[in-house]
Amino acid sequence: MDTIAAYLNNMFASLPRTEQTYNLKQDLLANMEEKYHELKKEGKSENEAVGIVISEFGNIDELVEELGLPGGVEDTLLPLLAPEDTWSYTAAKKRAGFMVGIGVVLCMIGPALLIVLVTLAEYGFLRGVLSEDAAGMIGVSILLVLIALAVGMFIYSGSSMERFKYLEKGFNLPCFLRTELEQRRRAYTPTYTLSLTLGICLCVVSPVLVIIWAAVSEDTTGYGAAIMLLLIALAVFLFIYYGTIKESFSFLLKEGEYIELPPEKKEEKRIMGSIAAIVWPLATCIFLISGFVFQRWDINWIVFPVTGILLGIFGSVYNLVKAR
């Protein structure tokens, strides 16, 4: 049987490594094994059985033409993922999502601590002990340290995924791996749905704290704003971490946004990504300037949801213009 398996491997070596050819080879191997064992039961020697099975196999070129398979062009070959590569990718993606999520949380904790320090220096127990300017400088220092840590996490998470870059050029999954991935994805769906629901609830509830705090005492609205940022940070972590796990399933199964897009959709995605890469840092600058220069920490947080809404409007307008 080793001779038959080696023969099949040689015959299929020149064909693209697609799921279709993989399944075909497995079916042929099963049929050839069955024929081999039948011949052995009939009293044929091992060499005779192997010779008969191979002679009845036929010509590989005729089989390719009959089934309409593409020819063996080197640049069309796609890697067939092994189980260890598949599960290594999902584990690495999960770790990367956790690192990115924590990094984003640190970026949002920084402004929250800054607001709390300034509010404490102005109205709290630090009043008279620490000036507003000093509290602001300490807060900015902590903010920069947390951002530096976050950037380090972003870089580490990105570098940890570099070894899977080859998958972006295309790959194929064996049937048994696809089946297991689909089963794991179905089992994970309730967890993802719960995290998404909880994150949305946190985002919706978070501004309520600012409103309540403002109603109780306008002077200490900053505390409400800080807690709001922390709740949003928790929500964003849930979105990123659990969303990244879901994304790993979609990527391996080639579903959702990972389905091969038409050229116009690829262009739209590229343009929106480029604009977002400019707009979000600009929104962060507006947030910081309005806080430090105009001392409007109580209301300047609104720049982030407004930015998200404006990006959504731009995407809709872009689609309408392109549709004409």
Side-chain angles (χ1 to χ4, degrees):
M1 282 309 304
D2 290 341
T3 304
I4 294 175
Y7 174 79
L8 266 184
N9 289 335
N10 289 332
M11 290 299 99
F12 277 81
S14 62
L15 297 180
R17 297 169 192 169
T18 64
E19 185 175 354
Q20 185 181 9
T21 56
Y22 176 83
N23 293 335
L24 175 61
K25 187 171 77 169
Q26 295 303 110
D27 291 340
L28 287 174
L29 181 59
N31 292 334
M32 294 171 83
E33 285 181 351
E34 184 178 355
K35 181 67 176 179
Y36 170 82
H37 290 301
E38 287 179 0
L39 292 171
K40 289 286 288 180
K41 287 180 181 179
E42 293 175 3
K44 303 291 183 181
S45 67
E46 182 173 349
N47 290 336
E48 287 176 329
V50 170
I52 293 172
V53 169
I54 290 177
S55 64
E56 292 182 357
F57 171 74
N59 187 284
I60 187 65
D61 294 329
E62 295 176 356
L63 187 62
V64 167
E65 185 177 352
E66 179 182 347
L67 296 176
L69 295 175
V73 181
E74 185 65 27
D75 59 4
T76 64
L77 297 181
L78 295 177
L80 192 66
L81 284 191
E84 56 270 21
D85 295 326
T86 304
W87 309 131
S88 293
Y89 173 82
T90 56
K93 194 73 174 175
K94 185 177 181 179
R95 286 193 301 270
F98 181 80
M99 297 293 287
V100 171
I102 292 297
V104 172
V105 169
L106 290 178
C107 289
M108 299 189 73
I109 286 177
L113 289 176
L114 175 60
I115 294 172
V116 170
L117 282 174
V118 171
T119 305
L120 287 174
E122 189 174 0
Y123 304 106
F125 66 87
L126 292 180
R127 186 176 183 181
V129 178
L130 199 65
S131 66
E132 283 186 59
D133 291 339
M137 292 178 64
I138 294 173
V140 171
S141 300
I142 296 174
L143 173 63
L144 293 176
V145 170
L146 292 177
I147 290 176
L149 290 173
V151 170
M153 290 183 175
F154 297 152
I155 293 173
Y156 176 81
S157 64
S159 63
S160 67
M161 296 303 298
E162 281 295 322
R163 61 193 178 102
F164 298 104
K165 277 287 186 181
Y166 72 95
L167 296 178
E168 296 178 2
K169 298 178 181 179
F171 59 89
N172 290 294
L173 280 175
C175 283
F176 72 93
L177 267 182
R178 177 175 294 276
T179 301
E180 186 169 354
L181 278 169
E182 289 174 346
Q183 291 174 348
R184 292 194 181 193
R185 182 193 56 185
R186 284 193 294 269
Y188 173 74
T189 297
T191 301
Y192 172 74
T193 303
L194 178 61
S195 67
L196 185 64
T197 303
L198 181 59
I200 292 173
C201 290
L202 288 173
C203 289
V204 172
V205 170
S206 58
V208 175
L209 294 173
V210 179
I211 297 172
I212 293 175
W213 223 291
V216 174
S217 173
E218 292 186 3
D219 293 339
T220 57
T221 306
Y223 296 135
I227 297 175
M228 182 198 69
L229 286 175
L230 293 177
L231 291 179
I232 293 176
L234 178 58
V236 171
F237 174 81
L238 293 175
F239 294 149
I240 293 175
Y241 178 63
Y242 291 98
T244 301
I245 298 174
K246 180 179 181 296
E247 181 185 342
S248 66
F249 289 119
S250 299
F251 177 75
L252 291 171
L253 294 171
K254 298 179 182 179
E255 296 176 343
E257 63 178 299
Y258 296 103
I259 296 175
E260 185 64 23
L261 297 174
E264 60 273 13
K265 287 294 183 180
K266 289 183 178 180
E267 180 65 12
E268 176 189 344
K269 189 175 180 180
R270 184 188 66 82
I271 291 175
M272 290 302 297
S274 300
I275 292 174
I278 297 173
V279 171
W280 283 114
L282 182 61
T284 303
C285 290
I286 294 174
F287 171 80
L288 294 174
I289 291 172
S290 63
F292 289 125
V293 177
F294 301 104
Q295 299 298 316
R296 294 313 306 266
W297 299 108
D298 58 329
I299 193 64
N300 62 350
W301 57 268
I302 202 170
V303 68
F304 295 113
V306 169
T307 301
I309 293 171
L310 290 177
L311 281 175
I313 294 173
F314 177 83
S316 300
V317 172
Y318 176 84
N319 288 331
L320 288 174
V321 172
K322 291 292 288 184
R324 291 182 178 180

